[in-house]
Amino acid sequence: MFRRPAQRRVPLTVAYLVRRLGSVALVLLGVSVMTFLLVQFIPGDPARVVLGIQATDAAVAQLRERMGLDAPLYVQFGRWLGGVLHGDFGTSLVTGQAIGSIVQPRIWPTTALALSALLIGLVIAVPLGIAAALRPGGKRDLLAGLVSQLGVSLPDFWLGVMLIYLFSERLRWLPSSGYQSVQEGGVAGWAGHLLLPAVTAGVVSGAIMIRFVRGALLEVIRLDYVRTARAKGLAARVVMARHVLRNAAIPIVTIIGLQLATLISGVVTVEIVYAWPGLGRLALESTLNRDYSILQAAVLLTAVIYSVSSFLIDLLYGALDPRVRYG
Amino acid sequence: MKRSLTLALSLGVILLGAAHAQTPVRGGILKAAWTQEPANLDPHVTSAYSSFQILENVLDTLVTVDAKGKIIPSLATAWKASADGKTWTFTLRQGVKFSNGRALSAADVAYCLNRLRDPKTGSGNAYHLSGVTAVTAPSANTVVLTLSKARTNILGDLTSKATGIFAKEGVADKSVATRPVGTGPFKITSYQPGVGVKLARNTNYWQAGLPYLDGVDIRVVPDEGVRRSSLVSGDVDWVMAVPPQDIPTLKTNAALKVDSIPAFSYWYIGVNTKHKPFDQKPVRQAMAEVINRDQIVQGAIFGQGVANQSPIPAVNEFGQTYAPYTGSLEKAKALLGKGGAVAGFETSIMVTGQYPESVRIAQILQAQLAPLGIKANIRTLEWAQWLEEEGKGNYDLYVLSWNAMIDPDEYYYAQQRTGEGFNFTGYSNPAVDKLLDTARVATSDAQRKPLYTQINKLVVDDAPYIYLYNPSNVNAYSTKVHGYAARADQAIKFVNTWLSK
């Protein structure tokens, strides 16, 4: 292996970045068009639904006009996209508030729930994944497989209701639902409300990650240098920590990134059960209320979170593995 | 013997209850769980019932209703209709202040009502003031409404929180959408989307000594099972609705009270009188005759309602008890023959997942209509589409409810008068039209009661709507909550509520 001249490397990296950013932009445009069209295909008159069953036809016609529903589709889309590019997501059809002010208070609770769920997921997945990979087919591997299977197949909705029944209704240790900010309830109040939803979402996420951790480690364990390290008489634990984990980091980072994106974009059922003010619940409620402008903003935001996450993962990949940059 | 024992027992219970009546304690925060997110708190913009249930404790209206649906004073202490019924003059209560300390004047009332009916506002609630051509404030404590056509039910409309009075300062800075300032017992201190609303005592409230509570902490808990858990664990003191299947268990819990009352709303089957064979009155009557409403109440809503063949429940001032249908299969078959459909027919019932009980009712109806040879298919539509189909008359039968009526006129006029906006069944009976027109301008209850009794009889006999039941309004709360009662109009009023330690 000889090193390439350094000046060659920069333009390539920039080219790579530009290419990746271009594809992110394309994906987001595609998502915007898709969301917009999907909303158009929902049957029924949104104005009628927004105003409720006892509104007069005149009021409905007026709202249609105010919603801009009379204009042709491409004009409606153009207006919306133009607004978004200027950072204006429009106003809610139902409440007339600026979308930014509706979405913004949801970002912190969503992030807090996603990060703590991810942490709980990792606490479950990494030890079990390692234990499983050390002896494929062994007792621990079976146990890890069982935990993973169980976590993936338990409906999170049911798990949530059961946890509430146990820890809130029976033992009265934790609040049953709702959200408290640190200003309101102090750190204890905030964490107390966060714990059950984080565990519920974390169990599911951990169960998914166990398989990935195990798989990634097994890929590496089979490689020559691991066998060499073992042959040198290093303890299995040392081999695992020093050689295997480091090289299995890339696929593990990928799954962590995608799990985080999934958790941020909304664990809808968990948010509904625990009355948690997250983005997923917002998207669902907006759909039910026919508040298309919020729905479009929420879907776009989710797509941004996803694209940015996978973009960052790619960058991290590039940092961890030079081959990616020139691929 | 048995009877006297029962009597003695019930007397004992009454005496015990009297011994338990305590003096109200001031202070404390009531923690209440709502079922749905309040969408917007501007009474002219929102159509969400959950918003009105919050505004109930924040805004006052000119008039309001007592537990039986009778109109009583609120911001107005007196009102008078002109001889032709087109001019209504309201005298305002003296010394009322908004929660921000500013004195209320007639100009505020006129401003709010004019904003509600202004086409530029585009309010879906403007129908409450339909026919109102002007609202003026000739003096600081007089408000005058002018109508193009007389209608007594304007009073019922003026009890709706959509006509609640708020301080106009909130319109310019848009705070009216999240924190309207009113004259009611509580003021809104915070509105957190997705979390809930916090209310605090309005220290300027015009009823001296009220409210008792320091505040109400309203949170939104969408899942009904979790609401029940929150109540049982003591996490919340009061919940808006509990799963009907849980009510028997909750009733055995000594720390809780399940408070239930038949609501003023009603569920019904809408019959398309323009479609064959439903254009034949005997066919509609045959269906009304054969269905078993008690079975529907038990099966579709777990017994949380009262079967009724007329829409207005007995607890109401204008309650109707007319119930001509006996459930006889022979009679129903004879009627079907009279309507020219002796062999039965195939039809469909339109329902929506938006109201799950409508789906359950349709499933029971399917079974109940089968013995007549009527094969009813269930047509489940998404809510927006359902509304569209109803509007176009593209249905045979549908199942739905009407909510939040105060004046008897609201039970019949818009739905049953020829060509009215909500008459989707195509029903037309000149006799009913004439009576409806007379009853809506009659101003005394003594005049109106016999008129509505006649209207009700005609509509029930003609069966464009087949009335099913009045659902129960159920609230459940801790035994520490006093001075609260579930109401038939589903209004949630915490003004007299207090918490014992």
Side-chain angles (χ1 to χ4, degrees):
Chain A
M1 291 279 281
F2 71 92
R3 287 186 51 181
R4 290 164 192 271
Q7 69 270 27
R8 281 288 316 276
R9 219 162 117 180
V10 178
L12 266 175
T13 314
V14 170
Y16 169 73
L17 271 180
V18 168
R19 211 172 51 219
R20 282 294 287 117
L21 276 174
S23 72
V24 166
L26 269 179
V27 165
L28 291 182
L29 184 69
V31 167
S32 318
V33 174
M34 289 272 293
T35 321
F36 188 80
L37 287 177
L38 269 180
V39 161
Q40 300 302 326
F41 288 133
I42 300 175
D45 180 352
R48 166 69 64 190
V49 174
V50 167
L51 288 178
I53 189 166
Q54 301 178 349
T56 56
D57 291 346
V60 172
Q62 210 163 38
L63 182 66
R64 283 187 65 81
E65 203 175 317
R66 227 177 49 207
M67 285 163 121
L69 293 170
D70 307 337
L73 271 195
Y74 65 90
V75 174
Q76 287 185 46
F77 181 70
R79 279 182 198 153
W80 179 74
L81 194 66
V84 170
L85 291 173
H86 290 98
D88 172 17
F89 286 90
T91 51
S92 150
L93 300 173
V94 176
T95 70
Q97 291 159 285
I99 304 260
S101 70
I102 294 171
V103 172
Q104 203 234 332
R106 308 257 178 169
I107 290 176
W108 167 239
T110 296
T111 315
L113 176 59
L115 288 174
S116 16
L118 187 71
L119 195 68
I120 290 168
L122 287 172
V123 166
I124 295 169
V126 171
L128 279 173
I130 293 176
L134 279 173
R135 278 237 183 92
K139 267 186 200 158
R140 288 174 180 169
D141 189 18
L142 283 176
L143 175 75
L146 189 72
V147 170
S148 167
Q149 195 54 48
L150 207 64
V152 172
S153 47
L154 279 184
D156 45 8
F157 178 84
W158 179 86
L159 181 66
V161 171
M162 282 299 128
L163 289 176
I164 291 172
Y165 179 74
L166 183 65
F167 290 101
S168 171
E169 197 172 325
R170 286 268 142 226
L171 298 168
R172 310 210 171 177
W173 289 353
L174 289 164
S176 55
S177 63
Y179 174 80
Q180 257 192 346
S181 63
V182 178
Q183 293 90 319
E184 266 182 298
V187 173
W190 173 79
H193 283 85
L194 175 66
L195 190 59
L196 288 184
V199 167
T200 310
V203 163
V204 178
S205 157
I208 293 169
M209 288 191 293
I210 289 178
R211 298 174 184 192
F212 278 88
V213 173
R214 176 181 179 271
L217 293 176
L218 284 177
E219 286 287 301
V220 177
I221 283 176
R222 295 198 184 101
L223 295 176
D224 290 348
Y225 69 88
V226 178
R227 216 175 310 154
T228 312
R230 282 212 183 135
K232 283 195 310 194
L234 288 175
R237 209 168 287 181
V238 179
V239 174
M240 184 52 96
R242 233 184 252 170
H243 296 276
V244 179
L245 271 177
R246 193 175 294 179
N247 284 289
I250 293 181
I252 293 177
V253 164
T254 310
I255 182 70
I256 291 176
L258 290 177
Q259 276 298 311
L260 184 64
T262 306
L263 288 165
I264 285 186
S265 57
V267 260
V268 181
T269 39
V270 174
E271 288 174 3
I272 288 193
V273 168
Y274 290 102
W276 192 262
L279 278 175
R281 198 176 125 207
L282 177 71
L284 181 76
E285 279 165 1
S286 320
T287 314
L288 296 176
N289 294 336
R290 286 296 180 298
D291 208 333
Y292 297 156
S293 39
I294 298 187
L295 182 64
Q296 281 169 346
V299 172
L300 191 63
L301 192 64
T302 306
V304 168
I305 291 169
Y306 251 99
S307 309
V308 169
S309 308
S310 71
F311 177 67
L312 289 176
I313 291 166
D314 283 356
L315 284 191
L316 207 53
Y317 251 55
L320 290 169
D321 186 348
R323 284 171 305 181
V324 175
R325 286 199 297 268
Y326 306 106
Chain B
M1 175 67 218
K2 207 168 173 187
R3 181 177 286 184
S4 59
L5 188 69
T6 321
L7 196 71
L9 276 175
S10 43
L11 266 177
V13 169
I14 290 167
L15 287 174
L16 272 175
H20 266 286
Q22 303 143 300
T23 38
V25 178
R26 285 180 76 79
I29 304 272
L30 178 81
K31 289 177 295 195
W34 246 235
T35 53
Q36 274 182 324
E37 184 78 18
N40 182 324
L41 294 167
D42 178 337
H44 300 171
V45 176
T46 191
S47 61
Y49 204 63
S50 51
S51 301
F52 289 123
Q53 285 167 311
I54 287 171
L55 294 174
E56 191 64 53
N57 297 286
V58 177
L59 305 183
D60 286 321
T61 41
L62 283 174
V63 287
T64 187
V65 278
D66 69 4
K68 293 186 78 178
K70 196 175 166 55
I71 307 269
I72 54 171
S74 180
L75 285 180
T77 49
W79 51 92
K80 210 170 91 236
S82 61
D84 65 358
K86 290 186 189 175
T87 311
W88 288 75
T89 307
F90 295 85
T91 308
L92 291 192
R93 188 179 296 280
Q94 296 284 339
V96 176
K97 282 182 177 168
F98 284 109
S99 60
N100 64 6
R102 187 166 73 75
L104 169 90
S105 87
D108 291 299
V109 178
Y111 169 83
C112 290
L113 298 184
N114 282 322
R115 180 177 179 256
L116 173 60
R117 61 187 197 90
D118 184 351
K120 280 208 281 294
T121 310
S123 173
N125 308 326
Y127 69 91
H128 283 295
L129 297 180
S130 66
V132 175
T133 53
V135 183
T136 55
S139 80
N141 68 339
T142 315
V143 176
V144 177
L145 268 70
T146 314
L147 282 78
S148 56
K149 258 193 1 210
R151 65 179 182 103
T152 302
N153 68 344
I154 184 75
L155 285 177
D157 279 313
L158 290 172
T159 66
S160 160
K161 287 294 156 183
T163 69
I165 307 306
F166 53 87
K168 58 169 167 270
E169 298 89 298
V171 175
D173 65 8
K174 294 201 170 152
S175 63
V176 67
T178 52
R179 285 191 198 190
V181 170
T183 58
F186 295 94
K187 61 181 179 193
I188 298 168
T189 53
S190 93
Y191 167 66
Q192 270 181 288
V195 182
V197 174
K198 286 190 165 64
L199 305 179
R201 174 190 292 134
N202 170 11
T203 49
N204 295 309
Y205 187 48
W206 51 268
Q207 289 203 66
L210 290 176
Y212 298 116
L213 294 166
D214 286 340
V216 185
D217 193 342
I218 295 166
R219 62 164 99 145
V220 179
V221 183
D223 185 79
E224 55 177 15
V226 176
R227 270 202 306 279
R228 187 218 53 224
S229 289
S230 308
L231 181 67
V232 172
S233 70
D235 228 3
V236 297
D237 309 309
W238 183 99
V239 296
M240 192 191 277
V242 283
Q245 58 274 26
D246 286 344
I247 287 176
T249 6
L250 288 176
K251 279 187 169 158
T252 61
N253 186 330
L256 300 178
K257 180 171 165 49
V258 178
D259 189 353
S260 134
I261 186 167
F264 290 157
S265 52
Y266 64 86
W267 279 80
Y268 68 100
I269 308 169
V271 186
N272 193 334
T273 63
K274 295 276 186 239
H275 278 200
K276 282 187 176 1
F278 306 109
D279 54 343
Q280 299 301 315
K281 182 159 112 179
V283 172
R284 301 195 297 265
Q285 288 176 325
M287 293 193 300
E289 174 66 32
V290 81
I291 58 175
N292 180 332
R293 291 163 181 80
D294 287 319
Q295 254 178 27
I296 292 172
V297 169
Q298 289 308 322
I301 53 166
F302 306 94
Q304 295 308 307
V306 176
N308 197 352
Q309 296 187 21
S310 300
I312 313 183
V315 23
N316 189 291
E317 279 282 295
F318 287 84
Q320 302 292 339
T321 50
Y322 181 59
Y325 301 111
T326 55
S328 143
L329 183 62
E330 288 67 44
K331 214 163 148 188
K333 277 184 173 156
L335 281 163
L336 212 54
K338 213 163 123 191
V342 72
F345 50 87
E346 190 167 349
T347 182
S348 69
I349 308 174
M350 186 170 78
V351 292
T352 171
Q354 177 92 3
Y355 297 101
E357 54 270 69
S358 73
V359 181
R360 294 197 294 265
I361 292 168
Q363 287 163 341
I364 297 167
L365 287 173
Q366 221 175 6
Q368 292 184 350
L369 293 172
L372 280 182
I374 299 176
K375 184 179 182 303
N377 303 310
I378 296 178
R379 193 173 149 221
T380 311
L381 295 181
E382 205 276 332
W383 179 226
Q385 208 180 356
W386 190 103
L387 284 169
E388 213 159 85
E389 292 290 275
E390 182 201 38
K392 287 183 188 152
N394 288 338
Y395 68 88
D396 281 350
L397 307 167
Y398 69 77
V399 173
L400 204 71
S401 69
W402 267 89
N403 285 331
M405 281 92 30
I406 296 298
D407 192 276
D409 180 85
E410 294 171 327
Y411 281 87
Y412 305 100
Y413 193 89
Q415 304 92 315
Q416 311 301 355
R417 197 184 182 293
T418 307
E420 272 299 308
F422 294 105
N423 181 336
F424 298 112
T425 61
Y427 173 62
S428 174
N429 178 340
V432 170
D433 293 354
K434 204 166 149 247
L435 284 165
L436 280 170
D437 292 345
T438 315
R440 83 178 337 212
V441 298
T443 45
S444 80
D445 282 1
Q447 281 172 300
R448 298 179 93 207
K449 277 183 180 163
L451 289 168
Y452 282 108
T453 306
Q454 286 177 62
I455 291 165
N456 181 66
K457 184 176 181 309
L458 286 170
V459 172
V460 172
D461 286 341
D462 288 345
Y465 276 18
I466 298 172
Y467 297 107
L468 299 173
Y469 62 86
N470 300 108
S472 293
N473 177 27
V474 183
N475 301 139
Y477 40 89
S478 149
T479 46
K480 285 192 284 195
V481 177
H482 308 267
Y484 178 86
R487 287 170 55 111
D489 62 358
Q490 292 171 37
I492 295 165
K493 293 179 188 275
F494 293 129
V495 60
N496 295 309
T497 304
W498 55 279
L499 286 165
S500 56
K501 295 289 173 264

